[in-house]
Amino acid sequence: KHLSTKKACTMTKTNHDKHNPLWREQRQFLDGLPEQVRDNLFSSDIEADVRAEIWDKQAMLGETLINEYAWATPDDRAVNIIKQFSPIIEIGCGRNAYWANLLQEAGVDVIAYDVSPANGGQVGEGETQMQTQRPKKKYKKGVRSRVQVRQGGPEVLRGKNIRKSG
């Protein structure tokens, strides 16, 4: 039996997702693939060279999205689960605190930390090989955070008053 990516590629549009440009960009990429390919990307039904080409395109887009938004894509399900554990301390939020912003919009009490508030979460400095090979597309320089990104890593959890640190 082959591994189907249908469940992994299934993302539903909800009210929350309209405020989630990372999700929209990924959904646009997935919707641009033929259904047979999208649903069976890792099966023997798809030629290895086709899979490799799609993987390269995804990697190029992914690197850009990581630098602009986040390494992982939040959706309503994730936000609703995390909301049950509020208040939340996010360690390694990246320079734009993408998840923390979405969580805060959903009513979650969240404090965001990164060891490098100015550059956290980036793939690398300067243009990478993938970025120079990619057709140029106008992207914002990331999402502007409405959540304060405090400086710190896991060590802040040892503090007695986390809200005042950073």
Side-chain angles (χ1 to χ4, degrees):
K1 188 172 176 170
H2 64 67
L3 173 66
S4 172
T5 57
K6 189 169 191 162
K7 286 186 181 178
C9 293
T10 302
M11 293 192 232
T12 57
K13 285 187 177 178
T14 64
N15 289 331
H16 178 73
D17 292 326
K18 70 182 178 183
H19 301 291
N20 191 342
L22 173 56
W23 181 91
R24 279 196 312 271
E25 290 278 349
Q26 290 175 331
R27 182 75 257 163
Q28 184 177 12
F29 175 80
L30 292 172
D31 287 347
L33 297 174
E35 186 177 355
Q36 172 66 17
V37 172
R38 182 179 60 237
D39 293 348
N40 300 290
L41 187 59
F42 297 106
S43 79
S44 58
D45 296 343
I46 306 301
E47 297 288 326
D49 58 331
V50 172
R51 184 180 310 109
E53 183 180 335
I54 292 168
W55 196 261
D56 283 345
K57 288 178 184 177
Q58 179 275 145
M60 285 189 271
L61 174 63
E63 193 171 286
T64 298
L65 296 179
I66 287 167
N67 283 338
E68 293 177 15
Y69 303 111
W71 282 81
T73 307
D75 65 4
D76 279 352
R77 294 171 299 168
V79 170
N80 288 331
I81 290 168
I82 294 169
K83 189 174 185 176
Q84 303 306 309
F85 297 94
S86 183
I88 298 295
I89 299 169
E90 182 181 7
I91 304 293
C93 66
R95 69 177 179 186
N96 63 19
Y98 190 80
W99 277 72
N101 278 289
L102 291 176
L103 291 167
Q104 189 178 69
E105 285 178 12
V108 175
D109 181 8
V110 61
I111 300 172
Y113 284 92
D114 200 282
V115 294
S116 178
N119 298 311
Q122 303 301 287
V123 171
E125 293 184 25
E127 284 201 349
T128 65
Q129 183 178 4
M130 293 250 187
Q131 289 171 318
T132 57
Q133 292 172 354
R134 181 183 58 250
K136 296 295 180 190
K137 181 176 178 181
K138 291 261 183 188
Y139 283 102
K140 297 182 223 170
K141 286 289 184 191
V143 173
R144 190 164 177 96
S145 181
R146 294 171 301 285
V147 173
Q148 177 189 359
V149 177
R150 301 167 187 231
Q151 186 163 8
E155 74 283 350
V156 302
L157 299 174
R158 286 186 290 239
K160 292 186 193 264
N161 196 341
I162 294 171
R163 290 195 182 275
K164 291 186 180 179
S165 64

PDB file of all heavy atoms in Angstrom, residues 45-73:
ATOM      1  N   ASP A  45       2.885   5.726  -7.988  1.00  0.00           N
ATOM      2  CA  ASP A  45       2.102   6.227  -9.124  1.00  0.00           C
ATOM      3  C   ASP A  45       2.729   7.480  -9.736  1.00  0.00           C
ATOM      4  O   ASP A  45       2.426   7.821 -10.877  1.00  0.00           O
ATOM      5  CB  ASP A  45       0.675   6.580  -8.686  1.00  0.00           C
ATOM      6  CG  ASP A  45      -0.113   5.378  -8.207  1.00  0.00           C
ATOM      7  OD1 ASP A  45       0.306   4.236  -8.505  1.00  0.00           O
ATOM      8  OD2 ASP A  45      -1.137   5.573  -7.536  1.00  0.00           O
ATOM      9  N   ILE A  46       3.560   8.174  -8.978  1.00  0.00           N
ATOM     10  CA  ILE A  46       4.182   9.417  -9.448  1.00  0.00           C
ATOM     11  C   ILE A  46       5.650   9.133  -9.764  1.00  0.00           C
ATOM     12  O   ILE A  46       6.383   8.587  -8.939  1.00  0.00           O
ATOM     13  CB  ILE A  46       4.082  10.524  -8.367  1.00  0.00           C
ATOM     14  CG1 ILE A  46       2.623  10.734  -7.920  1.00  0.00           C
ATOM     15  CG2 ILE A  46       4.700  11.822  -8.848  1.00  0.00           C
ATOM     16  CD1 ILE A  46       1.674  11.126  -9.034  1.00  0.00           C
ATOM     17  N   GLU A  47       6.050   9.510 -10.972  1.00  0.00           N
ATOM     18  CA  GLU A  47       7.435   9.304 -11.408  1.00  0.00           C
ATOM     19  C   GLU A  47       8.386  10.073 -10.489  1.00  0.00           C
ATOM     20  O   GLU A  47       8.082  11.186 -10.058  1.00  0.00           O
ATOM     21  CB  GLU A  47       7.619   9.791 -12.846  1.00  0.00           C
ATOM     22  CG  GLU A  47       6.789   9.043 -13.869  1.00  0.00           C
ATOM     23  CD  GLU A  47       7.308   7.636 -14.103  1.00  0.00           C
ATOM     24  OE1 GLU A  47       8.530   7.426 -14.036  1.00  0.00           O
ATOM     25  OE2 GLU A  47       6.476   6.743 -14.351  1.00  0.00           O
ATOM     26  N   ALA A  48       9.535   9.499 -10.224  1.00  0.00           N
ATOM     27  CA  ALA A  48      10.516  10.102  -9.323  1.00  0.00           C
ATOM     28  C   ALA A  48      10.952  11.485  -9.790  1.00  0.00           C
ATOM     29  O   ALA A  48      11.115  12.396  -8.974  1.00  0.00           O
ATOM     30  CB  ALA A  48      11.731   9.187  -9.177  1.00  0.00           C
ATOM     31  N   ASP A  49      11.137  11.675 -11.113  1.00  0.00           N
ATOM     32  CA  ASP A  49      11.571  12.981 -11.609  1.00  0.00           C
ATOM     33  C   ASP A  49      10.480  14.035 -11.437  1.00  0.00           C
ATOM     34  O   ASP A  49      10.761  15.198 -11.170  1.00  0.00           O
ATOM     35  CB  ASP A  49      12.069  12.909 -13.056  1.00  0.00           C
ATOM     36  CG  ASP A  49      11.026  12.384 -14.030  1.00  0.00           C
ATOM     37  OD1 ASP A  49      10.162  11.583 -13.617  1.00  0.00           O
ATOM     38  OD2 ASP A  49      11.095  12.755 -15.216  1.00  0.00           O
ATOM     39  N   VAL A  50       9.212  13.640 -11.570  1.00  0.00           N
ATOM     40  CA  VAL A  50       8.093  14.567 -11.337  1.00  0.00           C
ATOM     41  C   VAL A  50       8.059  14.949  -9.861  1.00  0.00           C
ATOM     42  O   VAL A  50       7.920  16.125  -9.506  1.00  0.00           O
ATOM     43  CB  VAL A  50       6.747  13.935 -11.773  1.00  0.00           C
ATOM     44  CG1 VAL A  50       5.569  14.792 -11.350  1.00  0.00           C
ATOM     45  CG2 VAL A  50       6.736  13.689 -13.279  1.00  0.00           C
ATOM     46  N   ARG A  51       8.191  13.960  -8.988  1.00  0.00           N
ATOM     47  CA  ARG A  51       8.209  14.201  -7.540  1.00  0.00           C
ATOM     48  C   ARG A  51       9.355  15.137  -7.180  1.00  0.00           C
ATOM     49  O   ARG A  51       9.186  16.075  -6.397  1.00  0.00           O
ATOM     50  CB  ARG A  51       8.341  12.890  -6.783  1.00  0.00           C
ATOM     51  CG  ARG A  51       8.264  13.042  -5.283  1.00  0.00           C
ATOM     52  CD  ARG A  51       8.387  11.734  -4.511  1.00  0.00           C
ATOM     53  NE  ARG A  51       7.506  10.698  -5.007  1.00  0.00           N
ATOM     54  CZ  ARG A  51       7.913   9.613  -5.683  1.00  0.00           C
ATOM     55  NH1 ARG A  51       9.192   9.423  -5.935  1.00  0.00           N
ATOM     56  NH2 ARG A  51       7.052   8.708  -6.097  1.00  0.00           N
ATOM     57  N   ALA A  52      10.540  14.917  -7.753  1.00  0.00           N
ATOM     58  CA  ALA A  52      11.707  15.752  -7.462  1.00  0.00           C
ATOM     59  C   ALA A  52      11.481  17.193  -7.907  1.00  0.00           C
ATOM     60  O   ALA A  52      11.854  18.134  -7.203  1.00  0.00           O
ATOM     61  CB  ALA A  52      12.946  15.169  -8.132  1.00  0.00           C
ATOM     62  N   GLU A  53      10.874  17.373  -9.073  1.00  0.00           N
ATOM     63  CA  GLU A  53      10.598  18.728  -9.575  1.00  0.00           C
ATOM     64  C   GLU A  53       9.631  19.463  -8.650  1.00  0.00           C
ATOM     65  O   GLU A  53       9.836  20.631  -8.318  1.00  0.00           O
ATOM     66  CB  GLU A  53      10.018  18.645 -10.986  1.00  0.00           C
ATOM     67  CG  GLU A  53       9.771  19.989 -11.622  1.00  0.00           C
ATOM     68  CD  GLU A  53       9.185  19.872 -13.027  1.00  0.00           C
ATOM     69  OE1 GLU A  53       9.395  18.833 -13.684  1.00  0.00           O
ATOM     70  OE2 GLU A  53       8.509  20.823 -13.444  1.00  0.00           O
ATOM     71  N   ILE A  54       8.582  18.781  -8.231  1.00  0.00           N
ATOM     72  CA  ILE A  54       7.606  19.386  -7.310  1.00  0.00           C
ATOM     73  C   ILE A  54       8.281  19.699  -5.977  1.00  0.00           C
ATOM     74  O   ILE A  54       8.074  20.763  -5.391  1.00  0.00           O
ATOM     75  CB  ILE A  54       6.393  18.464  -7.118  1.00  0.00           C
ATOM     76  CG1 ILE A  54       5.610  18.380  -8.420  1.00  0.00           C
ATOM     77  CG2 ILE A  54       5.502  18.947  -5.976  1.00  0.00           C
ATOM     78  CD1 ILE A  54       4.570  17.281  -8.446  1.00  0.00           C
ATOM     79  N   TRP A  55       9.095  18.767  -5.504  1.00  0.00           N
ATOM     80  CA  TRP A  55       9.786  18.964  -4.235  1.00  0.00           C
ATOM     81  C   TRP A  55      10.690  20.196  -4.296  1.00  0.00           C
ATOM     82  O   TRP A  55      10.744  20.985  -3.347  1.00  0.00           O
ATOM     83  CB  TRP A  55      10.596  17.707  -3.889  1.00  0.00           C
ATOM     84  CG  TRP A  55      11.014  17.692  -2.459  1.00  0.00           C
ATOM     85  CD1 TRP A  55      12.233  18.045  -1.951  1.00  0.00           C
ATOM     86  CD2 TRP A  55      10.212  17.331  -1.341  1.00  0.00           C
ATOM     87  NE1 TRP A  55      12.242  17.907  -0.589  1.00  0.00           N
ATOM     88  CE2 TRP A  55      11.008  17.472  -0.190  1.00  0.00           C
ATOM     89  CE3 TRP A  55       8.896  16.899  -1.203  1.00  0.00           C
ATOM     90  CZ2 TRP A  55      10.528  17.198   1.084  1.00  0.00           C
ATOM     91  CZ3 TRP A  55       8.422  16.620   0.071  1.00  0.00           C
ATOM     92  CH2 TRP A  55       9.235  16.776   1.194  1.00  0.00           C
ATOM     93  N   ASP A  56      11.412  20.374  -5.415  1.00  0.00           N
ATOM     94  CA  ASP A  56      12.275  21.548  -5.566  1.00  0.00           C
ATOM     95  C   ASP A  56      11.462  22.841  -5.559  1.00  0.00           C
ATOM     96  O   ASP A  56      11.850  23.827  -4.923  1.00  0.00           O
ATOM     97  CB  ASP A  56      13.086  21.462  -6.863  1.00  0.00           C
ATOM     98  CG  ASP A  56      14.249  20.497  -6.761  1.00  0.00           C
ATOM     99  OD1 ASP A  56      14.618  20.095  -5.636  1.00  0.00           O
ATOM    100  OD2 ASP A  56      14.797  20.127  -7.826  1.00  0.00           O
ATOM    101  N   LYS A  57      10.347  22.854  -6.275  1.00  0.00           N
ATOM    102  CA  LYS A  57       9.494  24.051  -6.301  1.00  0.00           C
ATOM    103  C   LYS A  57       8.971  24.363  -4.910  1.00  0.00           C
ATOM    104  O   LYS A  57       8.950  25.512  -4.479  1.00  0.00           O
ATOM    105  CB  LYS A  57       8.316  23.854  -7.269  1.00  0.00           C
ATOM    106  CG  LYS A  57       8.707  23.888  -8.711  1.00  0.00           C
ATOM    107  CD  LYS A  57       7.504  23.650  -9.594  1.00  0.00           C
ATOM    108  CE  LYS A  57       7.900  23.574 -11.053  1.00  0.00           C
ATOM    109  NZ  LYS A  57       6.745  23.271 -11.913  1.00  0.00           N
ATOM    110  N   GLN A  58       8.544  23.318  -4.206  1.00  0.00           N
ATOM    111  CA  GLN A  58       8.037  23.491  -2.848  1.00  0.00           C
ATOM    112  C   GLN A  58       9.132  24.027  -1.936  1.00  0.00           C
ATOM    113  O   GLN A  58       8.892  24.878  -1.098  1.00  0.00           O
ATOM    114  CB  GLN A  58       7.491  22.148  -2.335  1.00  0.00           C
ATOM    115  CG  GLN A  58       6.954  22.170  -0.934  1.00  0.00           C
ATOM    116  CD  GLN A  58       8.047  21.975   0.107  1.00  0.00           C
ATOM    117  OE1 GLN A  58       7.972  22.558   1.164  1.00  0.00           O
ATOM    118  NE2 GLN A  58       9.063  21.201  -0.156  1.00  0.00           N
ATOM    119  N   ALA A  59      10.352  23.518  -2.100  1.00  0.00           N
ATOM    120  CA  ALA A  59      11.467  23.958  -1.256  1.00  0.00           C
ATOM    121  C   ALA A  59      11.794  25.429  -1.497  1.00  0.00           C
ATOM    122  O   ALA A  59      12.077  26.173  -0.550  1.00  0.00           O
ATOM    123  CB  ALA A  59      12.696  23.088  -1.509  1.00  0.00           C
ATOM    124  N   MET A  60      11.764  25.846  -2.755  1.00  0.00           N
ATOM    125  CA  MET A  60      12.035  27.255  -3.063  1.00  0.00           C
ATOM    126  C   MET A  60      10.980  28.160  -2.438  1.00  0.00           C
ATOM    127  O   MET A  60      11.305  29.158  -1.807  1.00  0.00           O
ATOM    128  CB  MET A  60      12.106  27.463  -4.572  1.00  0.00           C
ATOM    129  CG  MET A  60      13.392  26.955  -5.172  1.00  0.00           C
ATOM    130  SD  MET A  60      13.594  27.439  -6.895  1.00  0.00           S
ATOM    131  CE  MET A  60      12.781  26.068  -7.710  1.00  0.00           C
ATOM    132  N   LEU A  61       9.726  27.802  -2.614  1.00  0.00           N
ATOM    133  CA  LEU A  61       8.653  28.580  -2.006  1.00  0.00           C
ATOM    134  C   LEU A  61       8.752  28.506  -0.487  1.00  0.00           C
ATOM    135  O   LEU A  61       8.623  29.512   0.206  1.00  0.00           O
ATOM    136  CB  LEU A  61       7.280  28.061  -2.468  1.00  0.00           C
ATOM    137  CG  LEU A  61       6.073  28.697  -1.793  1.00  0.00           C
ATOM    138  CD1 LEU A  61       6.002  30.192  -2.102  1.00  0.00           C
ATOM    139  CD2 LEU A  61       4.790  27.992  -2.222  1.00  0.00           C
ATOM    140  N   GLY A  62       9.006  27.312   0.030  1.00  0.00           N
ATOM    141  CA  GLY A  62       9.071  27.113   1.471  1.00  0.00           C
ATOM    142  C   GLY A  62      10.109  27.979   2.150  1.00  0.00           C
ATOM    143  O   GLY A  62       9.867  28.546   3.212  1.00  0.00           O
ATOM    144  N   GLU A  63      11.271  28.107   1.544  1.00  0.00           N
ATOM    145  CA  GLU A  63      12.326  28.923   2.132  1.00  0.00           C
ATOM    146  C   GLU A  63      11.885  30.382   2.245  1.00  0.00           C
ATOM    147  O   GLU A  63      12.111  31.032   3.262  1.00  0.00           O
ATOM    148  CB  GLU A  63      13.588  28.810   1.281  1.00  0.00           C
ATOM    149  CG  GLU A  63      14.815  29.363   1.957  1.00  0.00           C
ATOM    150  CD  GLU A  63      16.054  29.035   1.169  1.00  0.00           C
ATOM    151  OE1 GLU A  63      16.485  27.863   1.184  1.00  0.00           O
ATOM    152  OE2 GLU A  63      16.585  29.963   0.529  1.00  0.00           O
ATOM    153  N   THR A  64      11.233  30.876   1.224  1.00  0.00           N
ATOM    154  CA  THR A  64      10.726  32.234   1.260  1.00  0.00           C
ATOM    155  C   THR A  64       9.673  32.391   2.351  1.00  0.00           C
ATOM    156  O   THR A  64       9.693  33.345   3.123  1.00  0.00           O
ATOM    157  CB  THR A  64      10.111  32.613  -0.110  1.00  0.00           C
ATOM    158  OG1 THR A  64      11.136  32.547  -1.097  1.00  0.00           O
ATOM    159  CG2 THR A  64       9.521  34.011  -0.082  1.00  0.00           C
ATOM    160  N   LEU A  65       8.761  31.431   2.426  1.00  0.00           N
ATOM    161  CA  LEU A  65       7.694  31.512   3.420  1.00  0.00           C
ATOM    162  C   LEU A  65       8.237  31.402   4.843  1.00  0.00           C
ATOM    163  O   LEU A  65       7.732  32.074   5.751  1.00  0.00           O
ATOM    164  CB  LEU A  65       6.644  30.432   3.161  1.00  0.00           C
ATOM    165  CG  LEU A  65       5.885  30.561   1.836  1.00  0.00           C
ATOM    166  CD1 LEU A  65       4.889  29.421   1.677  1.00  0.00           C
ATOM    167  CD2 LEU A  65       5.206  31.909   1.710  1.00  0.00           C
ATOM    168  N   ILE A  66       9.258  30.592   5.039  1.00  0.00           N
ATOM    169  CA  ILE A  66       9.891  30.500   6.357  1.00  0.00           C
ATOM    170  C   ILE A  66      10.447  31.857   6.763  1.00  0.00           C
ATOM    171  O   ILE A  66      10.227  32.330   7.874  1.00  0.00           O
ATOM    172  CB  ILE A  66      11.020  29.449   6.355  1.00  0.00           C
ATOM    173  CG1 ILE A  66      10.423  28.042   6.320  1.00  0.00           C
ATOM    174  CG2 ILE A  66      11.941  29.622   7.576  1.00  0.00           C
ATOM    175  CD1 ILE A  66      11.442  26.955   6.011  1.00  0.00           C
ATOM    176  N   ASN A  67      11.167  32.500   5.848  1.00  0.00           N
ATOM    177  CA  ASN A  67      11.768  33.790   6.173  1.00  0.00           C
ATOM    178  C   ASN A  67      10.731  34.884   6.386  1.00  0.00           C
ATOM    179  O   ASN A  67      10.974  35.826   7.128  1.00  0.00           O
ATOM    180  CB  ASN A  67      12.753  34.205   5.084  1.00  0.00           C
ATOM    181  CG  ASN A  67      14.062  33.445   5.193  1.00  0.00           C
ATOM    182  OD1 ASN A  67      14.410  32.933   6.244  1.00  0.00           O
ATOM    183  ND2 ASN A  67      14.777  33.357   4.096  1.00  0.00           N
ATOM    184  N   GLU A  68       9.595  34.775   5.748  1.00  0.00           N
ATOM    185  CA  GLU A  68       8.578  35.811   5.879  1.00  0.00           C
ATOM    186  C   GLU A  68       7.585  35.554   7.000  1.00  0.00           C
ATOM    187  O   GLU A  68       7.036  36.494   7.560  1.00  0.00           O
ATOM    188  CB  GLU A  68       7.828  35.959   4.559  1.00  0.00           C
ATOM    189  CG  GLU A  68       8.714  36.510   3.478  1.00  0.00           C
ATOM    190  CD  GLU A  68       8.010  36.587   2.142  1.00  0.00           C
ATOM    191  OE1 GLU A  68       6.776  36.485   2.099  1.00  0.00           O
ATOM    192  OE2 GLU A  68       8.712  36.747   1.151  1.00  0.00           O
ATOM    193  N   TYR A  69       7.336  34.287   7.292  1.00  0.00           N
ATOM    194  CA  TYR A  69       6.272  33.963   8.243  1.00  0.00           C
ATOM    195  C   TYR A  69       6.750  33.060   9.372  1.00  0.00           C
ATOM    196  O   TYR A  69       6.994  33.530  10.469  1.00  0.00           O
ATOM    197  CB  TYR A  69       5.092  33.320   7.516  1.00  0.00           C
ATOM    198  CG  TYR A  69       4.541  34.186   6.412  1.00  0.00           C
ATOM    199  CD1 TYR A  69       4.696  33.836   5.076  1.00  0.00           C
ATOM    200  CD2 TYR A  69       3.874  35.374   6.696  1.00  0.00           C
ATOM    201  CE1 TYR A  69       4.197  34.632   4.054  1.00  0.00           C
ATOM    202  CE2 TYR A  69       3.378  36.182   5.684  1.00  0.00           C
ATOM    203  CZ  TYR A  69       3.543  35.800   4.368  1.00  0.00           C
ATOM    204  OH  TYR A  69       3.055  36.589   3.371  1.00  0.00           O
ATOM    205  N   ALA A  70       6.844  31.754   9.114  1.00  0.00           N
ATOM    206  CA  ALA A  70       7.164  30.799  10.180  1.00  0.00           C
ATOM    207  C   ALA A  70       7.632  29.481   9.576  1.00  0.00           C
ATOM    208  O   ALA A  70       7.442  29.219   8.393  1.00  0.00           O
ATOM    209  CB  ALA A  70       5.928  30.560  11.045  1.00  0.00           C
ATOM    210  N   TRP A  71       8.211  28.639  10.415  1.00  0.00           N
ATOM    211  CA  TRP A  71       8.678  27.315   9.997  1.00  0.00           C
ATOM    212  C   TRP A  71       7.536  26.323   9.929  1.00  0.00           C
ATOM    213  O   TRP A  71       7.624  25.311   9.230  1.00  0.00           O
ATOM    214  CB  TRP A  71       9.749  26.802  10.955  1.00  0.00           C
ATOM    215  CG  TRP A  71      11.083  27.416  10.708  1.00  0.00           C
ATOM    216  CD1 TRP A  71      11.516  28.643  11.140  1.00  0.00           C
ATOM    217  CD2 TRP A  71      12.166  26.852   9.974  1.00  0.00           C
ATOM    218  NE1 TRP A  71      12.796  28.871  10.714  1.00  0.00           N
ATOM    219  CE2 TRP A  71      13.230  27.779   9.997  1.00  0.00           C
ATOM    220  CE3 TRP A  71      12.345  25.648   9.308  1.00  0.00           C
ATOM    221  CZ2 TRP A  71      14.436  27.544   9.381  1.00  0.00           C
ATOM    222  CZ3 TRP A  71      13.561  25.414   8.697  1.00  0.00           C
ATOM    223  CH2 TRP A  71      14.589  26.361   8.728  1.00  0.00           C
ATOM    224  N   ALA A  72       6.485  26.539  10.663  1.00  0.00           N
ATOM    225  CA  ALA A  72       5.339  25.633  10.686  1.00  0.00           C
ATOM    226  C   ALA A  72       4.071  26.443  10.441  1.00  0.00           C
ATOM    227  O   ALA A  72       4.011  27.632  10.758  1.00  0.00           O
ATOM    228  CB  ALA A  72       5.252  24.921  12.030  1.00  0.00           C
ATOM    229  N   THR A  73       3.084  25.796   9.864  1.00  0.00           N
ATOM    230  CA  THR A  73       1.862  26.491   9.465  1.00  0.00           C
ATOM    231  C   THR A  73       0.733  26.248  10.457  1.00  0.00           C
ATOM    232  O   THR A  73       0.238  25.132  10.579  1.00  0.00           O
ATOM    233  CB  THR A  73       1.406  26.010   8.081  1.00  0.00           C
ATOM    234  OG1 THR A  73       2.496  26.137   7.175  1.00  0.00           O
ATOM    235  CG2 THR A  73       0.230  26.833   7.581  1.00  0.00           C
TER     236      THR A  73
END
